[in-house]
Amino acid sequence: MKIYMCVVCGWIYDEAAGLPDDGIAPGTLWADVPDDWRCPECNVGKADFVLCEVRGVRCEV
């Protein structure tokens, strides 16, 4: 599972956790999140997210 971070506000999307309040089940891959989904904190789109962690290896953004 991967973790993606919003480059605008720093909000995190964790594939393992999903976002049940938005109808995105735990285990939903980032590629399967609807293209019109918006960041719940700052309202930017998926294009403003970067891959931040894969298997415990963190990136520097």
Side-chain angles (χ1 to χ4, degrees):
M1 298 267 99
K2 299 173 185 172
I3 294 174
Y4 292 82
M5 182 182 73
C6 177
V7 297
V8 174
C9 71
W11 188 85
I12 299 291
Y13 175 76
D14 181 348
E15 291 179 334
L19 196 56
D21 290 345
D22 282 359
I24 301 171
T28 300
L29 300 177
W30 182 245
D32 296 330
V33 171
D35 289 335
D36 63 349
W37 178 84
R38 311 298 286 180
C39 175
E41 292 294 318
C42 69
N43 204 38
V44 297
K46 285 178 64 178
D48 290 307
F49 279 74
V50 294
L51 177 62
C52 190
E53 183 177 333
V54 180
R55 298 184 197 138
V57 177
R58 292 186 185 272
C59 67
E60 293 291 326
V61 181

